[in-house]
Amino acid sequence: MRLKFSQFLVALLMIGTLMLTGCSTGQSSSNASPTSTANPNAAETNNQTTTETKQVAETTTQATTPANTSESIPGMKDLPRLEGKATVVMTVKGAPITIEVDGTNAPITAGNFVDLVNKGVYDGLMFHRVIRDPQPFVAQGGDPQSKNTSVAVNRLGTGSYVDPKTNAIRYIPLEIKPQGEASPIYSKTFEMAGVTKPPELKHKQGAIAMARSQMPDSASSQFYFALADLAFLDGNYAVFGYVTQGFDLVNKIQQGDRIDSAKVTQGLENLK
């Protein structure tokens, strides 16, 4: 009984920290390198500046009703979509990690990732947050700011992908498909939407998912690998694929390691 209660407290702490860091949008230093006391477990570190937060808030306000159809999301038609599956090979410290990206169950989230990979956005970026204590949690990267070695470490985790064509940040909606349903829920967590089913894509060890702030539609380029089964994140964050080869290499990623390259090796024709 004591062990179960302890595990519950750890899970509660993780969730609480996720929401706390999400609320801290506009405080660039709030997502500095994690420590065992102040901020031990944070998967969402895509905290924007005050201006960026306002943009997300406006988008979220427009997209809340209804939230179960892709047509309800402003700008959805302009986002990349993956119609099927694709394979991405991400090389870290010279070692390949193979990821199966699932556009069947997460077409927008998967399409965004594959598009950014194909554009070379992730090449050279850093894993700015890796958390294994008090238990395995996440390895997170994808902040475009981390390519610039002159950017202060305490700024990492606040960046997003800026589309050079529009000079605007590309945000994608929270997209999670309930098990057995024909289409995903958009812009709401399962709790917000009243969904009681488990998601089709779960936070199993080796899952890859999008980091975001507290606002559901604030994901952009930052992603994380689940270093363990993280069922308490299911229905709250968008999983879009799984590591199929090289999870032992994911397990060796250290904070500060960089992505040598990321390439789409199969399924690029499914990107629309």
Side-chain angles (χ1 to χ4, degrees):
M1 182 65 179
R2 184 176 301 170
L3 178 59
K4 290 183 179 179
F5 185 66
S6 174
Q7 291 172 336
F8 171 77
L9 285 178
V10 170
L12 187 63
L13 178 62
M14 288 179 176
I15 295 173
T17 306
L18 287 170
M19 299 310 293
L20 177 64
T21 55
C23 288
S24 301
T25 54
Q27 298 179 8
S28 61
S29 62
S30 64
N31 274 324
S33 300
T35 65
S36 59
T37 54
N39 191 12
N41 294 296
E44 59 169 16
T45 61
N46 188 21
N47 291 338
Q48 282 76 37
T49 62
T50 303
T51 301
E52 294 164 0
T53 301
K54 182 178 179 182
Q55 294 172 345
V56 179
E58 291 172 350
T59 302
T60 304
T61 301
Q62 295 171 353
T64 52
T65 306
N68 61 342
T69 61
S70 60
E71 291 78 8
S72 67
I73 311 299
M76 175 74 82
K77 62 181 177 62
D78 299 321
L79 294 173
R81 179 183 295 265
L82 187 68
E83 298 178 352
K85 295 188 176 182
T87 302
V88 168
V89 176
M90 183 176 292
T91 304
V92 180
K93 298 178 70 174
I97 299 164
T98 303
I99 305 163
E100 182 181 83
V101 184
D102 190 343
T104 301
N105 293 301
I108 299 300
T109 314
N112 176 68
F113 181 76
V114 169
D115 182 59
L116 295 183
V117 168
N118 195 47
K119 285 178 164 62
V121 170
Y122 291 115
D123 297 355
L125 299 193
M126 181 191 295
F127 285 93
H128 60 270
R129 173 169 274 108
V130 179
I131 303 171
R132 294 191 174 90
D133 185 37
Q135 61 190 53
F137 190 45
V138 300
Q140 181 175 331
D143 184 342
Q145 297 179 110
S146 66
K147 186 171 288 188
N148 185 347
T149 57
S150 66
V151 173
V153 173
N154 64 4
R155 285 285 303 166
L156 299 182
T158 65
S160 303
Y161 169 69
V162 177
D163 189 333
K165 292 182 179 179
T166 63
N167 202 32
I169 293 173
R170 179 201 286 174
Y171 294 114
I172 60 171
L174 180 63
E175 174 187 55
I176 311 175
K177 184 178 179 182
Q179 198 168 68
E181 296 296 325
S183 59
I185 296 290
Y186 289 95
S187 298
K188 291 186 177 182
T189 65
F190 276 16
E191 182 179 8
M192 293 166 63
V195 176
T196 56
K197 294 181 178 181
E200 198 72 56
L201 301 178
K202 301 179 179 65
H203 279 82
K204 300 183 295 185
Q205 184 185 66
I208 183 171
M210 293 302 292
R212 62 175 178 84
S213 73
Q214 186 184 22
M215 296 178 185
D217 294 350
S218 57
S220 181
S221 61
Q222 293 188 47
F223 68 90
Y224 59 89
F225 290 116
L227 301 181
D229 293 345
L230 305 173
F232 63 92
L233 296 182
D234 286 346
N236 291 287
Y237 296 86
V239 174
F240 60 90
Y242 296 95
V243 173
T244 56
Q245 295 181 46
F247 182 74
D248 58 322
L249 303 172
V250 173
N251 246 346
K252 295 176 182 178
I253 292 174
Q254 300 296 317
Q255 191 165 308
D257 286 350
R258 293 186 178 274
I259 300 169
D260 299 331
S261 66
K263 305 294 182 186
V264 183
T265 59
Q266 293 182 41
L268 186 59
E269 67 278 5
N270 294 329
L271 181 65
K272 309 300 180 181

